[in-house]
């Protein structure tokens, strides 16, 4: 997907969506706050891998003004607000490793980066070396699959078949395109907990969050409704952001236009009851 001001604007809005869904910048705040408690011998430090628009890093810098916060991505962040003085941004490729950052951070955060990583298991080994004793690894990845109202995965279907949704068509086709670019990357979110277990990481678990695409659930409270409305907006924007990817994969422009415009109408008018599932990994 193109990384420009429009995409970073979407990531800013997505950041606020996840803040509402998680109830903050991260789950299990005790472990994070303990890892970032002020220390006399060394300044606590945080790195945000794949920082995108930089919103998470900026908010962490403000929440922990005594800590050093680094946002890292392939391209510069299009910042819409000035970062605090303890927050800086670097351009680097996570696929190249982090030997220069061994034993440098108390918190390593990675959100929605798997489609750009060639070997996520190897990257986890890099994260392990980057963390100081007692450090915390936090990740969030979304399944490139859509789920129905019963939390069952919606399989690829043809238009008109029961259970077919246009959002699933866009996501399924985009997943195929991503898999061609980075084989295995689209499945990393599912594998992260298994890899961490095999690597014998301590105090690490995973939680699954099902986020409704639009406010279709019954008896939603104000916060849940806000999350659902934001998820619908993000899903619509994501479909549009996938347009260049789908075209580069060889789909005809008129086909891609039909998929995206139909998905936009489906989400905007809440014509299907759908969830997007995200997996959060941390010291649970």
């Amino acid at each position: 997907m193109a990384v420009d001001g429009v995409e970073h604007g979407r990531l800013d809005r997505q950041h606020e969506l996840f803040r509402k869904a998680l109830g903050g910048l991260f789950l299990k705040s005790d472990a994070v706050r303990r890892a970032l408690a002020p220390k006399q011998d060394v300044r606590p430090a945080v790195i945000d891998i794949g920082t995108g628009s930089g919103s998470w890093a900026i908010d962490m810098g403000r929440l922990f003004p005594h800590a050093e916060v680094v946002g890292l991505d392939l391209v510069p962040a299009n910042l819409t607000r000035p970062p605090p003085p303890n927050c800086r941004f670097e351009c680097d490729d996570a696929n190249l490793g982090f030997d220069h950052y061994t034993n440098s951070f108390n918190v390593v955060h990675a959100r929605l980066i798997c489609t750009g990583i060639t070997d996520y298991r190897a990257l986890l080994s890099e994260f392990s070396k980057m963390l100081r004793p007692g450090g915390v690894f936090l990740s969030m990845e979304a399944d490139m699959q859509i789920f129905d109202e019963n939390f069952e995965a919606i399989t690829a279907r043809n238009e008109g078949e029961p259970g077919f949704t246009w959002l699933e068509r866009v996501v399924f086709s985009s997943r195929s395109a991503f898999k061609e670019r980075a084989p295995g990357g689209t499945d990393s979110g599912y594998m992260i907990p298994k890899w961490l277990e095999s690597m014998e990481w301590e105090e690490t678990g995973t939680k699954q969050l099902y986020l409704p695409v639009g406010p279709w659930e019954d008896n939603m409270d104000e916060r849940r409704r806000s999350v659902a409305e934001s998820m619908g907006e993000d899903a619509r924007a994501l479909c549009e952001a996938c347009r260049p990817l789908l075209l580069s994969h060889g789909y005809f422009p008129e086909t891609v236009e039909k998929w995206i415009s139909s998905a936009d109408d489906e989400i905007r008018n809440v014509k299907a009851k759908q969830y997007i599932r995200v997996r959060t990994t941390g010291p649970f």
Side-chain angles (χ1 to χ4, degrees):
M1 292 183 287
V3 182
D4 52 21
V6 173
E7 174 62 7
H8 279 175
R10 182 184 75 84
L11 294 178
D12 278 335
R13 295 187 294 275
Q14 186 184 76
H15 170 69
E16 294 304 318
L17 158 65
F18 289 142
R19 281 191 63 160
K20 288 184 285 188
L22 297 177
L25 296 174
F26 41 79
L27 293 175
K28 197 63 176 178
S29 61
D30 290 349
V32 175
R33 294 182 184 279
R34 184 169 58 250
L36 294 177
K39 299 172 178 61
Q40 293 183 349
D41 55 338
V42 63
R43 188 183 188 187
V46 180
I47 189 166
D48 182 26
I49 307 294
T51 193
S53 64
S55 291
W56 190 88
I58 289 174
D59 284 347
M60 282 294 286
R62 290 176 174 166
L63 186 61
F64 298 97
H66 62 281
E68 176 187 15
V69 180
V70 179
L72 183 144
D73 212 322
L74 280 171
V75 298
N78 288 299
L79 303 180
T80 57
R81 48 190 172 134
N86 62 323
C87 179
R88 73 175 193 272
F89 294 90
E90 298 180 357
C91 290
D92 202 350
D93 185 351
N95 292 302
L96 301 180
F98 292 104
D99 288 343
H100 55 296
Y101 271 147
T102 298
N103 196 35
S104 295
F105 297 99
N106 302 87
V107 173
V108 172
H109 176 260
R111 184 169 71 188
L112 304 182
I113 68 169
C114 70
T115 55
I117 302 301
T118 56
D119 187 343
Y120 207 116
R121 195 184 192 287
L123 184 62
L124 290 175
S125 296
E126 294 294 311
F127 291 163
S128 178
K129 291 186 292 185
M130 294 166 71
L131 283 170
R132 293 167 177 162
V136 171
F137 170 58
L138 302 171
S139 80
M140 174 185 284
E141 294 292 343
D143 291 344
M144 292 201 70
Q145 194 164 27
I146 305 302
F147 295 81
D148 65 20
E149 60 186 308
N150 298 312
F151 309 110
E152 298 291 335
I154 300 175
T155 57
R157 298 167 186 173
N158 295 319
E159 181 182 359
E161 291 182 347
F164 170 85
T165 78
W166 288 107
L167 177 59
E168 170 57 25
R169 172 57 57 85
V170 173
V171 169
F172 176 82
S173 301
S174 298
R175 183 175 187 271
S176 299
F178 273 126
K179 284 180 74 69
E180 185 174 284
R181 290 189 175 190
T186 55
D187 300 320
S188 296
Y190 173 75
M191 292 300 299
I192 288 172
K194 299 179 184 296
W195 287 330
L196 292 175
E197 183 179 357
S198 69
M199 297 165 68
E200 298 183 347
W201 279 47
E202 297 180 358
E203 299 183 9
T204 299
T206 186
K207 289 183 181 294
Q208 297 182 159
L209 303 176
Y210 287 86
L211 307 181
V213 183
W216 57 263
E217 290 180 328
D218 295 330
N219 304 316
M220 304 177 82
D221 61 24
E222 183 177 349
R223 175 180 161 187
R224 184 69 170 175
R225 175 171 290 275
S226 178
V227 168
E229 291 172 347
S230 296
M231 189 70 260
E233 294 171 2
D234 185 65
R236 289 170 50 218
L238 176 63
C239 288
E240 184 58 47
C242 286
R243 185 187 296 270
L245 174 70
L246 293 169
L247 293 173
S248 69
H249 194 57
Y251 293 110
F252 293 122
E254 56 270 27
T255 299
V256 174
E257 171 60 29
K258 178 181 179 180
W259 291 351
I260 293 175
S261 61
S262 298
D264 186 271
D265 175 68
E266 175 183 271
I267 297 167
R268 187 190 298 271
N269 294 295
V270 197
K271 294 181 177 180
K273 297 179 178 181
Q274 306 174 88
Y275 287 109
I276 287 177
R277 184 172 69 183
V278 298
R279 301 170 184 267
T280 61
T281 302
F284 306 137

